[in-house]
Amino acid sequence: MDRDQAKLFDDQLGLYDPSKTYLENWDEGPFPAKDFKLYEDKGEPELTFLGLPVYSPFGIPAGPLLNSNHIKFAFDGGFDVICYKTQRSVKFLANDFPNVLYLDIEGDLTIERAKQPLVGQPTTTKPLKNVSITNSFGNPSLGPDFWVDDLKKALTYEKKGQLLIMSVVGTIQEGFSQDDYYDDFAKAAKLAASTSVKAIEINLSCPNVASEGILCYTKEAVVAVCQKVKEAIGDTPLITKFGYFSKAQEQLLEDTLKDIEPLISAISAINTLPAPVVDRNGKQALPGEGRLSSGICGASIKWAGLDMVGRLNKLKAKNNWNYEIIGVGGVMGVNDFHSYREAGADVVQSATAAMWNTDLAAQIKANL
Ligand SMILES: Cc1cc2nc3c(=O)[nH]c(=O)nc-3n(C[C@H](O)[C@H](O)[C@H](O)COP(=O)(O)O)c2cc1C
């Protein structure tokens, strides 16, 4: 068994244990390997992202880093550009367990293929580099009474050449108008900015809360949210997290970017690709209303992330835009990191692989 496999199958290792609930992971995680070593950078950071010095253009996106304990672990492991899991202005429960299932899928999850059900199960025999999962949490939040202080604590773990980003999302609440909902993004972002975190990301692409939908495909919504958030956070750089835009949505993408480009400093893409997930008997695999479809990530979505990053880069050149690009999706190893950089990503991040290969940053830094 190779090292990656050993980590995947030993539930004491890694950032997230799918056999435990979200709250158990929150309380007990992360689960460091016995041989986990602190990564030590030498010299001065030579790169910048958002004008800030970073040792490497690599890290972990919003997702596996549930709280300041996970943030500390990731920074210690040498992941330099990392993001706290998306939080809200109010308390919000996680979707029911299970929240992570391994998928029986080989090759690319094309948009056509994502219309057909995928089989999800609690274990896998695949090596980590080929693994795809579904994750379905619904952006749970303990509320700002908890996370604002915890974010302050997380910021104390940010070392020279490292950058912590905070991800937030708006919450639809009883009696809310559309405007109230958009204002709530700004409220959450303002709470984040009060901690002096150096960059704020807004999650416009979560496929796991049926009632909230995926905002990034509605231009008016994206523009309104970006305007309100930017007004609330002032000079703090704003990052938008986008899902995959198909070729047919290219014009929508360009039109949306035209309007928000003056407001944003970077775009993070992609979020997960939604697809129906069933068990071996063809029944909905994740319990609860609206959970037949859930977000797919890992090896099978790399094609989509690379395609999106390439197109964001071309649009940037064509229009003389200045945003930086965070490439996310199916980064399972060193070669994938380089493919993203070649496609135009300023920073590359891995969620699925980094959850079970906590040496990934060290491996990438050895091959920069
Ligand atoms: C366990 C887990 C939780 C996630 N939670 C969030 C989240 O809170 N906010 C967000 O914007 N994306 C979230 N994501 C999506 C990731 O940021 C990323 O866009 C996606 O997983 C694709 O990257 P990957 O193929 O490296 O996993 C999550 C992903 C995983 C695996």
Side-chain angles (χ1 to χ4, degrees):
M1 192 183 282
D2 69 21
R3 193 172 165 76
D4 281 357
Q5 270 179 315
K7 291 198 167 193
L8 186 62
F9 291 122
D10 182 344
D11 66 9
Q12 290 309 303
L13 306 182
L15 279 167
Y16 197 90
D17 180 349
S19 72
K20 291 180 159 53
T21 65
Y22 162 75
L23 282 177
E24 284 167 344
N25 271 282
W26 195 95
D27 265 344
E28 300 164 21
F31 308 98
K34 287 172 199 74
D35 60 351
F36 179 75
K37 280 192 205 77
L38 196 76
Y39 188 92
E40 284 189 50
D41 288 288
K42 297 200 176 69
E44 293 300 310
E46 286 174 5
L47 300 167
T48 59
F49 176 62
L50 305 175
L52 301 161
V54 289
Y55 274 111
S56 70
F58 183 66
I60 300 176
L65 307 176
L66 310 187
N67 60 41
S68 56
N69 292 333
H70 299 77
I71 298 285
K72 180 179 188 318
F73 182 64
F75 275 146
D76 283 351
F79 294 86
D80 290 330
V81 184
I82 66 176
C83 191
Y84 196 115
K85 183 161 170 56
T86 306
Q87 295 295 318
R88 299 174 179 269
S89 74
V90 287
K91 270 192 194 168
F92 201 85
L93 289 180
N95 290 338
D96 286 343
F97 179 84
N99 303 97
V100 172
L101 290 176
Y102 298 99
L103 297 173
D104 211 355
I105 176 169
E106 296 293 335
D108 291 347
L109 178 66
T110 60
I111 300 302
E112 253 335 280
R113 213 166 156 197
K115 292 177 186 157
Q116 303 300 321
L118 300 167
V119 175
Q121 45 204 332
T123 56
T124 184
T125 51
K126 288 183 197 301
L128 180 55
K129 66 180 169 34
N130 297 337
V131 161
S132 290
I133 60 170
T134 184
N135 83 75
S136 169
F137 294 86
N139 288 330
S141 181
L142 290 181
D145 287 350
F146 172 78
W147 67 254
V148 171
D149 281 344
D150 191 57
L151 174 57
K152 285 182 193 158
K153 188 173 173 194
L155 285 165
T156 67
Y157 302 132
E158 192 183 50
K159 294 184 288 249
K160 181 167 76 174
Q162 299 192 315
L163 172 65
L164 178 59
I165 298 164
M166 183 64 195
S167 169
V168 295
V169 74
T171 307
I172 297 176
Q173 292 156 66
E174 212 176 325
F176 261 27
S177 65
Q178 191 166 281
D179 241 22
D180 293 337
Y181 174 40
Y182 300 163
D183 279 332
D184 194 59
F185 277 83
K187 188 175 174 189
K190 196 168 183 159
L191 285 161
S194 74
T195 66
S196 301
V197 69
K198 295 194 193 86
I200 293 174
E201 183 171 297
I202 44 175
N203 185 354
L204 301 172
S205 45
C206 178
N208 297 324
V209 188
S211 60
E212 288 173 353
I214 305 182
L215 221 55
C216 65
Y217 306 118
T218 308
K219 184 186 136 186
E220 294 67 30
V222 174
V223 174
V225 169
C226 286
Q227 282 168 343
K228 286 172 187 286
V229 169
K230 191 62 190 164
E231 201 176 313
I233 65 174
D235 289 341
T236 308
L238 172 60
I239 304 169
T240 50
K241 175 84 173 271
F242 275 5
Y244 179 71
F245 281 64
S246 67
K247 299 278 183 328
Q249 292 168 310
E250 185 73 7
Q251 197 56 52
L252 171 66
L253 177 62
E254 186 165 3
D255 290 347
T256 305
L257 292 177
K258 201 168 280 168
D259 284 1
I260 63 169
E261 198 274 337
L263 304 168
I264 62 171
S265 300
I267 300 168
S268 172
I270 57 173
N271 210 313
T272 52
L273 293 182
V277 180
V278 296
D279 63 19
R280 290 230 164 274
N281 303 316
K283 299 235 166 62
Q284 179 175 325
L286 298 169
E289 211 177 311
R291 288 182 81 201
L292 174 61
S293 175
S294 61
I296 313 300
C297 47
S300 64
I301 71 160
K302 183 178 76 180
W303 72 271
L306 276 175
D307 179 51
M308 186 76 179
V309 165
R311 284 157 57 209
L312 286 171
N313 199 33
K314 278 199 191 118
L315 286 172
K316 181 176 153 177
K318 175 182 158 194
N319 293 286
N320 271 320
W321 287 334
N322 289 316
Y323 55 72
E324 292 186 88
I325 301 171
I326 306 180
V328 191
V331 177
M332 311 306 286
V334 176
N335 292 344
D336 303 329
F337 165 83
H338 288 295
S339 303
Y340 267 91
R341 290 281 285 169
E342 278 154 29
D346 297 282
V347 158
V348 181
Q349 292 178 326
S350 165
T352 302
M355 285 205 286
W356 299 299
N357 178 6
T358 51
D359 289 339
L360 192 53
Q363 289 162 2
I364 284 171
K365 283 174 161 179
N367 290 281
L368 270 183

